[in-house]
Every structure is written in C-alpha cells, then in structure tokens.
Amino acid sequence: MALVTMGPMLKRAQAARYGIAAFNMIDYNSARAIVEGAAELKAPMIVQVSVKTIKHWGYKTIGTWVRMLAEDVDVPVALHLDHCSDKEVIRRCIDAGWTSVMFDGSALPFAENKAKSEEIYAMTEAAGVGLEAEIGAIGGVEDDKFVAEDAAILANYDECIAFVKDMPNLAVFAPAIGTAHGFYKGQPKIAYDLLEKITATIPIPIALHGGTGLSQEQFDRCIAGGCAKVNISTMHKNRFIEGFLAVRAEKPKLAEPLPFIEGQYAAMKQDVLDMIRAFGSEGKAAHAAGREA
Ligand code: 13P
C-alpha cells in the first residue's frame, strides 16, 4: 500500500481499544524488520524516525526506503517524524514524503508551546499530514533531548484542554503521564486517572511514549485508557546491537557480513511481533485502514 496518514487509523484503534506500534527505525534493515513484522501479523504500523537518524541517512533515502517497503505489503504503514522542535526539519520531512510529524515544544513555556504547535498545525493541515504534539515533560533520553527524573512533569489537565482546543484535527496528542524514555530504573508511576480524564473529554487519540520496559498489564491499562500509538525505541536499538553481536558470539570466525545482518533482522523482527501482540493489533490492518468495521 501507499504510505498512509496516521490520524484516521489511530482514531479507529482508539475506538476499538488496541494500540498501534510506533517503532523508531535505525537503518534499512531495521525499517524492513518493522514493516515486514507488521505484514506478517497483518497489523497497522507507524515507522518513526528521530531527527538524528534523518540527519545521518538523509531525508530522501529514508523516505524512499520506507515508501518502497510499505508499497510491498498490504498493511497500512505511516512514516512519522519523532520529537522535533525544528520547523525546517518538519518542512523537509513533509517535502520528502513523511505522512506525519511530531512537533515537540514541551520544553517551552505553555503559551509558547501552544502557539508554536498551532503554527505547525496550520502547516501540516495544509499539507495533508498528521501532527503529534506534546505537553508536560516526558523523562529520560530521546535523541538529543534529556529530561532528568526529577524534572519530568505530568501534563496539567486544564492545560491539555486549552492546548488542543484550536487543533481539532490533531492526529495524536502526547501528554506526559508518567512514562519515560529509555530503560526504567524503577517502576514508572503512570497517572492512569489523568489519562482516563483526558480521554473522556478530548476526542483525540493519545500517544504512549516510553514503551520500552512496560509490563503487559501497564500496556493493557494504557491502551484501555485511550493510548492508541505506542512508542518503542530503546528495545529496538538494543535488538539492533545485540542481534548483530549474538552472531559474532556464536560464530567468531565468520567473515561473511550477510549472516550478521540476518541475525540482527531476526532479533529486531521478533520484538516487533511480540509488541504487536502485546498491543492487541495483530490482525487489525484492515480495520485500521477503514476496510472493515
Ligand atoms: P523508549 O525508548 O522508552 O522505547 O521510548 C520511545 C519513545 O517514546 C520515542 O518517542
């Protein structure tokens, strides 16, 4: 299929209470594992890309890889830009074929975040591209952004209402609800009550950041509470490295590179399959694409 925008499929996922996985791709092998894993389980998928990864490979290269991979499968795939505070990068992604983008103004004072998010919203609406916007501060490390544990702040409910008021067609909303990027050191304190209150009053699907390391029960409660997009980056990066190294450990004298790439692919794809099952999106491709009730 051609790449799709994520808004309509996230709305369907939220209504039916399943989560669509959003994996942060690293290279072509990683994008292949993500898209082909989704195809194997007939699941919708979001391939998201960090700014650093885009700067490493180039806009056109990534856009072409993901578009070609998506065209070879019969499940809906969106190409999304993860956490970005730079309007120029957003513009270039849109021009290179991204179907959705995230503007992350969460480090700014509320009024400024709202104003800048609305400016990007006007741009994405004009381009027919979906937008994700964040408030509060999600802890941990993502790309070049670091939020210390004690600096992470839950989104304020009244600010959530005011934030989305003038962006009715926002594809997905990312209020900080207590999850964090990276491996968890202790148990995350997820504000389920806040999540449920937001979902009850704001008709926009919610993004769950910091998916790596959450338990099945935590995924279930977040998805039941309205999270429709579930982000996984750290575990995917870990599989990328460990999958490669496992081949070296098993066959120390191997001089052929392709078995390394195959081992890495298998490790990454296994995690993609596990997460799709954990989020309840196996077999939901046709539903997410609007081809089935
Ligand atoms: P993890 O790195 O914790 O999986 O979080 C990913 C994420 O939320 C990307 O924005």
Side-chain angles (χ1 to χ4, degrees), residues 24 48 82-83 142 180-182 209-212 231-234:
N24 286 64
Q48 56 186 15
D82 200 14
H83 297 275
E142 183 54 49
H181 297 123
H209 282 254
T212 296
N231 290 0
I232 304 282
S233 175
T234 302

